Amino acid sequence: MVEASSVDPAALLAVAVEEARKGLAEGGVPIGAALFDRSGTLLGSGHNRRVQDDDPSMHAETSAFRAAGRRPGYADTIMVTTLSPCWYCSGLVRQFGIGEVIVGENTTFHGGQDWLAENGTRVSTLQDPECIGLMTEFIEARPELWFEDIGGEPA
């Protein structure tokens, strides 16, 4: 298990929330993410850009990871995301050995975070009211886009 960082998770989450707001303002899915080092230095941030870029692989975590640029290793990094990472983004975390994931909320979607934790990634969930509100309102307003984003079908 990876040792916890001493950085304030809410302060890190604020960067991802701002990215989620940008995505929503652009007509996309309001999910934001940011990659930090263990001291809290921002390496890269981004938001879900599937709609804006017409690219099904441009999830928030992918956008933040790409913005951070290449590093020799990622065990000392923290991925902060407004929503529990889907299986695709959970795979990115495992593939590159990102040491910690901070999740804004998992009430609207519970992705692969348990799998990450079972495989040695430190995972914490904040159940942030703003993150929950952003996703709840978006899912109600745009269910077809939400189900397209998570690769599912409307109930």
Side-chain angles (χ1 to χ4, degrees):
M1 179 71 64
V2 175
E3 184 180 322
S5 69
S6 61
V7 181
D8 176 23
L12 303 183
L13 181 62
V15 176
V17 169
E18 184 58 33
E19 286 288 344
R21 287 189 203 118
K22 287 179 189 176
L24 183 61
E26 294 170 358
V29 181
I31 303 170
L35 190 67
F36 295 88
D37 71 12
R38 307 276 308 148
S39 69
T41 300
L42 178 64
L43 303 172
S45 64
H47 51 275
N48 185 302
R49 297 193 50 82
R50 295 180 71 256
V51 173
Q52 299 92 314
D53 295 352
D54 197 28
D55 179 351
S57 69
M58 191 46 76
H59 289 209
E61 296 87 343
T62 306
S63 180
F65 184 75
R66 287 179 178 173
R70 188 171 146 220
R71 296 171 54 93
Y74 297 88
D76 65 340
T77 63
I78 306 165
M79 178 66 77
V80 182
T81 179
T82 58
L83 184 64
S84 181
C86 69
W87 287 105
Y88 170 69
C89 295
S90 295
L92 180 144
V93 169
R94 289 277 292 133
Q95 173 70 30
F96 292 96
I98 293 171
E100 184 175 354
V101 176
I102 297 173
V103 177
E105 68 101 351
N106 66 4
T107 61
T108 59
F109 178 75
H110 195 99
Q113 71 181 73
D114 295 340
W115 175 72
L116 288 172
E118 290 164 6
N119 286 282
T121 303
R122 180 174 174 75
V123 178
S124 56
T125 305
L126 304 180
Q127 301 305 18
D128 179 76
E130 184 171 6
C131 292
I132 294 169
L134 276 168
M135 286 313 303
T136 300
E137 291 170 16
F138 177 78
I139 293 167
E140 288 173 4
R142 302 287 311 273
E144 73 292 342
L145 186 53
W146 168 244
F147 287 106
E148 175 189 318
D149 189 67
I150 62 168
E153 296 292 326

